Structure formats: C-alpha cells, structure tokens
Amino acid sequence: SVGQLVLITKHGEVKKVSAESFKDVRRSGIIAIKLEAGDELVAVVIAQKNTEVLLATMQGQSIRFDVSDVREMGRAAGGVRGMKLGKGDGVIGVAAINGDEKDGSLLVLSANGLGKKTPLKEYKVQKRGGSGVKTAKITAKTGQLIAAAVVNEATELVAVSQKGQIIRTEIKSISTSGRDTQGVTIMKMRDGDSIASLAFL
C-alpha cells in the first residue's frame, strides 16, 4: 500500500496525510495543505511506517526525523514545524529514507557548482522542530545550497545550469567528506551562471 504522503514547505512546515485522502481527486484539484502567506510546497514524499525524512536548507542546515513524529492530519489543515529555520533560509531538498537507503549518503550541490556527499550515519535521527545540524559550509565561494538528495554509489548525477550548461557524472566519483565542509567543484560555472536543477539516473 502507498501509506501516507508527507508534504514539506519552504518554511520548514511538515504535514502527514493518508494517501487514501487523495483517491477521489476532481479535475479541478483538491486542497492538500493550508499554506501560510509567502510559503510554498517544495516536496511530497511517500512514507511507510518506518520512513525517516531528511530536510536540507539553502544555508546548509539539515534535520533527520522519523515520520511517526508527525501526526496525521486532514487535507484542509496546515502543517507542523518540521525544522526551525534561520532568517532568510528555506528548505531546498527533501529525502525519504527507507531500509537499505540508510546506508547511503546525502549529496548536496551549491549554486556555484561545488558538491560533496556525506554518509547518512553522520545525521542522527532527531525530534522534528529543531534547527538540525550543519550539512555544508556555506561561503561566497560555494553560494547557497541548491539541491540535496540521498544517493548510493550506483547513481549518476545530471546537473543543469541556468544558462544551459549540463554535466553527467557518477556519484562514486564525487568526494565523500564530513558535514561541515564546502565540497569540491563538480561543475565549473561561467561568470554569472549558477546551478539550476539536478536529476538522477
């Protein structure tokens, strides 16, 4: 069974709702979450009973918590605090962690093309609502984080810049380092360009 959907917003709000709530969706759509002014939905993940969720932010913070720490709510309700964010920060990456994925790594990629992967074991499961831990050192050289995802060594990364530059690289070729590090250049950016998005193969 699909189980539950976990919705995460840019401001760090999290909502868990039964997938059954969406079985009769009208063509005009239905309300999934009540958002505060200025907030927006950034990710929806499918969760089972023992799923953990990891959130990462633009300013290099992250938090990992169990979905059982979020009570199930109706479709029209708002969320609860998943992560306490600093001023001007926002969630940019969300990953659901199940079973074998717990042996994987968190890959982070910054606007200026630097990236790294850090073993998930360095991210302890916490209670939701805290500030989390540092997942990357953010500097003028790196720029803010653009994306974060749980990966394994068999995965390939495709990254695209705002000006249309593209690279494809194997995850195993990307350096592994601790949480409080900048990473290394994965994609050399031209002046005025920055990472736009990434995908995995």
Side-chain angles (χ1 to χ4, degrees), residues 5 13 20-21 41-42 48 51 80 82 92 111 113 115 147 156 166-167:
L5 300 180
E13 296 291 300
E20 286 289 307
S21 300
L41 194 64
V42 295
Q48 303 295 343
T51 299
V80 295
I92 49 83
E156 286 189 44
I166 187 168
I167 61 148

Side-chain angles (χ1 to χ4, degrees), residues 162-176:
Q162 291 181 350
K163 293 187 176 180
Q165 187 179 355
I166 187 168
I167 61 148
R168 178 174 174 177
T169 187
E170 295 181 324
I171 293 297
K172 64 185 178 184
S173 71
I174 298 172
S175 297
T176 296

Side-chain angles (χ1 to χ4, degrees), residues 11 20 87 124 126 128 167:
H11 292 172
E20 286 289 307
K87 187 176 181 181
K124 289 186 173 141
Q126 301 177 303
R128 67 165 180 84
I167 61 148

Side-chain angles (χ1 to χ4, degrees), residues 24-136:
D24 296 316
V25 179
R26 299 183 294 271
R27 292 182 90 175
S28 58
I30 56 177
I31 297 293
I33 184 173
K34 182 179 179 182
L35 294 170
E36 297 292 331
D39 203 0
E40 60 188 70
L41 194 64
V42 295
V44 179
V45 297
I46 296 172
Q48 303 295 343
K49 187 175 181 182
N50 298 316
T51 299
E52 296 164 1
V53 177
L54 192 150
L55 279 55
T57 77
M58 294 186 292
Q59 293 176 6
Q61 289 295 111
S62 64
I63 193 168
R64 177 180 180 179
F65 58 87
D66 197 298
V67 294
S68 64
D69 200 18
V70 182
R71 63 187 171 87
E72 190 174 292
M73 305 169 85
R75 287 189 295 100
V80 295
R81 178 180 284 175
M83 185 175 189
K84 185 177 181 182
L85 303 180
K87 187 176 181 181
D89 204 1
V91 175
I92 49 83
V94 178
I97 304 170
N98 295 289
D100 292 345
E101 292 165 341
K102 294 180 182 182
D103 294 325
S105 298
L106 181 69
L107 172 78
V108 294
L109 196 60
S110 66
N112 294 338
L114 281 80
K116 61 165 182 167
K117 58 182 191 277
T118 303
L120 285 178
K121 64 185 179 184
E122 293 198 22
Y123 300 87
K124 289 186 173 141
V125 177
Q126 301 177 303
K127 287 289 185 183
R128 67 165 180 84
S131 300
V133 297
K134 186 171 283 191
T135 191

